[in-house]
Amino acid sequence: MFAHRKNPLDPDAATETPEAVFLNRRKWLAAAGLGLGAAGIGGYWGWRRWRGSDEEVIAGGEVETVPVQAAAGHREGTDETPRQSLHDAFPAPRDTRFSYGRAETDRADAARYTNFYEFSSLKSTWRYVDEFQPYPWTIQVGGLCRNALKFDLDEFHGTYSDELVERQYRHRCVERWAMAVPWTGIPLARLLRDADPLPAATHVRFVSFFRPDEASQQQYTEYPWPYEEGLTIDEAMNDLTLLTTGVYGRPLLKQHGAPIRLVVPWKYGFKSIKSIDRIELIDHEPATFWSTLSPDAYPFQSNVEPHVPRPWPQDEEWMLGTNEVFPTKLYNGYADQVAGLYRA
Ligand SMILES: Nc1nc2c(c(=O)[nH]1)N[C@H]1C(S)=C(S)[C@@H](COP(=O)(O)O)O[C@H]1N2
Ligand SMILES: [Mo]
């Protein structure tokens, strides 16, 4: 059992995690090359084993599904909500308007290095998600709207089966790692329109699950569970904001936030809340998990801004898997789509 790390608010802890150093394969190889000899080889072997094979990392996060009644879906002329079983929803057609502008991150590399504090403050959360049962799963949309919604994953996939798309997005964590991955989902705006917001709704609040029996860190830490996030209504309605149930053309792995998560590619990764339990239309800026813990480091807006330290310098980022370094762009390169939201 690995010790769960100390205070994640300590900037040093979050940037140079022991694990990040540990995972830096090039350093290990270099160290071996420098003549640490047998010790180096032994260390490398241990590192290989501890790191987990690609197969282990992926299998560790795969969601077990129970066969649902009639994946065939909706019976015409009934009020029954259409249903589609999880695996039949994938793959979805690619939305060709989006491309990474760099190499796609390897699927196992993305699955190996994840942030999911409900399970661990280490990055290898795939090791800690065994007990998590994200299927079946019910999600609710409510608050200041005319048509509150409640549906399970199969109803979601049945209702939006013609609208699911795959989009290639860049992702940027405030800790400065980045990835380029294909998400499957629908624009959040599509769902919100179905909920029919009242004019008083100015913000949207997202709340993750609270299941201390399945997510050990919800038992042991003082964090303000459940994880919560928020957007202004205009940010939530922006076409880039994607509500996703898949990645790499398959259902989300547990460590990526199965069964349903948000992806907000122009903001730091912590805004992209995982494993959503409910969505609420509200008339004020909501508190969020990270802004509650550290308002200065993680303010509500938290757009990717290379010139604003948060709290580390943010002008560069490195890619999972390859360690390739890129200059960080304003709004993570999505300024064309979102700059209008922030003009005075
Ligand atoms: N519920 C929940 N959502 C979360 C987090 C978390 O700890 N809990 N971590 C966030 C952070 S800091 C990042 S960078 C992204 C990481 O997404 P990934 O692990 O799928 O790459 O998820 C975000 N969503
Ligand atoms: Mo992050």
Side-chain angles (χ1 to χ4, degrees):
M1 184 68 188
F2 298 96
H4 280 105
R5 234 215 11 268
K6 28 180 195 259
N7 180 4
L9 298 178
D10 169 3
D12 294 332
T15 34
E16 290 296 317
T17 66
E19 190 180 23
V21 174
F22 210 47
L23 283 174
N24 192 327
R25 183 179 180 185
R26 274 198 296 206
K27 273 189 200 146
W28 273 93
L29 290 171
L34 281 171
L36 291 181
I41 291 162
Y44 181 67
W45 179 81
W47 168 81
R48 294 282 309 185
R49 279 200 45 163
W50 179 83
R51 176 179 184 266
S53 69
D54 290 358
E55 292 71 30
E56 279 177 289
V57 166
I58 287 167
E62 262 165 0
V63 176
E64 274 169 50
T65 59
V66 282
V68 267
Q69 346 88 311
H74 192 55
R75 285 206 314 270
E76 290 303 326
T78 70
D79 288 339
E80 220 176 278
T81 312
R83 306 176 66 83
Q84 184 172 49
S85 77
L86 187 60
H87 290 275
D88 291 337
F90 302 92
R94 186 174 156 218
D95 185 340
T96 53
R97 295 174 301 155
F98 298 92
S99 57
Y100 306 123
R102 59 184 72 166
E104 181 167 282
T105 302
D106 175 77
R107 180 176 178 230
D109 288 332
R112 177 177 283 113
Y113 195 95
T114 54
N115 271 330
F116 208 164
Y117 280 82
E118 284 86 337
F119 297 97
S120 172
S121 52
L122 299 174
K123 306 299 172 190
S124 55
T125 64
W126 62 271
R127 290 180 178 281
Y128 306 95
V129 292
D130 252 17
E131 303 296 317
F132 186 40
Q133 294 297 333
Y135 192 90
W137 187 274
T138 304
I139 163 165
Q140 300 195 44
V141 186
L144 299 170
C145 62
R146 295 184 189 86
N147 185 32
L149 305 169
K150 183 175 180 180
F151 48 85
D152 68 24
L153 251 272
D154 299 316
E155 289 167 343
F156 178 85
H157 285 129
T159 302
Y160 299 109
S161 59
D162 295 339
E163 293 161 75
L164 280 180
V165 288
E166 179 174 274
R167 287 190 186 172
Q168 302 190 335
Y169 276 171
R170 295 177 298 278
H171 173 102
R172 173 62 154 76
C173 175
V174 72
E175 296 160 348
R176 295 183 294 199
W177 57 268
M179 60 183 185
V181 302
W183 302 104
T184 305
I186 60 166
L188 177 67
R190 178 69 184 81
L191 183 75
L192 293 181
R193 276 199 303 275
D194 282 352
D196 199 2
L198 292 166
T202 57
H203 290 78
V204 185
R205 176 188 10 230
F206 305 87
V207 185
S208 288
F209 66 94
F210 182 67
R211 299 182 176 188
D213 292 344
E214 298 179 27
S216 66
Q217 295 305 288
Q218 293 189 323
Q219 268 169 38
Y220 301 126
T221 70
E222 306 285 306
Y223 295 150
W225 306 117
Y227 195 103
E228 292 190 14
E229 257 304 338
L231 296 171
T232 66
I233 189 111
D234 291 341
E235 291 171 336
M237 297 297 283
N238 187 279
D239 178 52
L240 281 182
T241 305
L242 205 63
L243 184 65
T244 69
T245 57
V247 67
Y248 294 98
R250 300 180 182 86
L252 287 170
L253 294 172
K254 292 180 186 179
Q255 62 266 43
H256 282 309
I260 186 161
R261 75 174 284 177
L262 197 66
V263 178
V264 194
W266 75 95
K267 293 179 178 283
Y268 289 117
F270 58 85
K271 301 291 293 183
S272 293
I273 183 173
K274 296 177 168 182
S275 306
I276 299 169
D277 186 80
R278 60 181 203 276
I279 299 175
E280 288 167 7
L281 290 141
I282 57 179
D283 62 2
H284 57 276
E285 184 180 290
T288 71
F289 182 82
W290 287 106
S291 69
T292 300
L293 288 166
S294 183
D296 295 336
Y298 310 116
F300 182 79
Q301 192 174 84
S302 286
N303 293 324
V304 175
E305 291 169 317
H307 303 300
V308 184
R310 290 263 180 247
W312 320 285
Q314 294 293 347
D315 50 323
E316 287 188 336
E317 63 205 42
W318 58 273
M319 299 298 292
L320 294 188
T322 63
N323 296 332
E324 201 181 351
V325 173
F326 289 97
T328 292
K329 289 188 185 155
L330 181 64
Y331 305 137
N332 200 22
Y334 295 101
D336 285 352
Q337 292 94 327
V338 299
L341 292 170
Y342 307 109
R343 266 183 223 120

